[in-house]
Structures are given as C-alpha cells and as structure tokens.
Amino acid sequence: MINFKPVYFEELDSTNTKCKQLAREGAPHGTVVIAAHQTAGKGRLGRRFCSPKSAGLYCTVLIREGFDMSTAGLITSCAAVAAAKAIEEVSGHSADIKWVNDIYMGGKKLCGILTEASLPKFIVIGIGINLISVTESIPVELRNIVTSIEEQTGRIISVKEMENALLSSLSRELEKLKNREFLEDYIKRSFLIGKDVDVHSGNNIYTAKVLGIDKNAGLEIELSDGTKKVLTTGDVSVRLKK
C-alpha cells in the first residue's frame, strides 16, 4: 500500500503543475497535492478542467515506484478504475468509464484524469471529481455535459471523504498494474464498446465502431470500410456519434 503524504492549498493554478514542481525538488513517492480551487486546471489535449471553488476534489498524486516503461502507459486507465470504484463507494451509484480518462454518471462527465510523466523518474496523476452542483459555476457550453455526485444522487460528499476513498482505491488498483488485473474492471465499466463513435485525430475526424479494449488499454475499432485498428491515447479523442 502507498503511504500517501497530502499537501493542501487553498488555490493553485494547477495541482499537476505544483506536483511536478515538487517532484523535481525531490518530493517522495505518494506525495498528494490537493487544492480547494484551480485557476487553470489541466485536461487532456491542452483543454482546461473547470474547477469551481470548493465544489470538488482536485488532486494530483506523485508516483515514483511500481511502474516501468511497459506499464507507464496503463496508469491513466488504472487510475480511472480507482476513481470509478471510489465514486461508487461514496455515492452508492455505478460509474462508467469513457475511454480513456473520463468517469461518467447519468450520461454526463463527473471526473477527469490527466497523467503526465517524466520517465523514468516519476508520473503525476491528476484527478478532478465534481462533488456538489456545478451548474451555476461552469461555462454555459458545459452544462449539458458536466455533472456532480450531488446532482446525480442527491448526496453531499465532503472533500475529505472523497479524498480518503480515492487514495485507498488508487493504492489498491496500482498494485494490479504490473499484471494488468485492473483491465477487467476497466472493460466492465466502459460504455463505448459496441457504440459508433467519432474519432478526432489532429485535424481529422472519422467514424468507427468500438469493438473492445486490448491488453494495453488501447481502443479496438472498426472503420466503415472494415479496416480494424487500435487507438492509443496520444493525440486522439473519441466522442459518441450523435
């Protein structure tokens, strides 16, 4: 189990940015940066993660052990399983995973994950979970996309309760990284399998059907001409076809 060492801040630009700074300064394995508010929270592909003040758990975990070059690329998926299980534990409701790094409930995004690496030295795992209603605090264009535990279940979960559940879950799931045991839970929670999606790769968008998830957490898809391929995280994003 990981001996986590939380460090708390009232406000940061980004918990990932701060955690990477601390890592470069020698912070130990298991350091956790937690902020009540992020002014420039990070999402995948350069997007922002909206982090209204005191509305969620915004944290980044520093990992220096338990991975190698063959498993580093699996950490985002492993963290997604950990976050989904923690959310289920505190909310009493099931949580789904949208490849590769988002947790959904009730068809809306509840949690985002961003891992950043300085291999082979360290990886930081940024996780943001919306706890209370965020409707009035987020841009209008996100209101039909983003949700919170309160909005989905009526329950008010404290940041501390969510923190404890998430870190315990993350410690358990990271132990399954080497043997890829977490993938069974990842696949079970995936809601893209069997669905038609739009794949966004750079400036290109194409339609495909999701067939499954492979042993490296890649997304197996079939194109309209019957060609099959596997998507890795990289610069690719996938959205359910409207």
Side-chain angles (χ1 to χ4, degrees), residues 45-80:
L45 308 181
R47 302 186 186 108
R48 283 192 63 185
F49 183 86
C50 192
S51 315
K53 187 174 182 178
S54 301
L57 172 63
Y58 314 124
C59 68
T60 301
V61 179
L62 171 60
I63 300 298
R64 293 189 182 274
E65 305 167 8
F67 68 90
D68 55 29
M69 296 301 287
S70 68
T71 56
L74 295 167
I75 286 183
T76 299
S77 304
C78 188

Side-chain angles (χ1 to χ4, degrees), residues 50 52 132-140 143 151:
C50 192
I132 65 173
S133 179
V134 293
T135 302
E136 300 303 320
S137 308
I138 61 176
V140 173
R143 291 180 184 175
E151 289 165 286

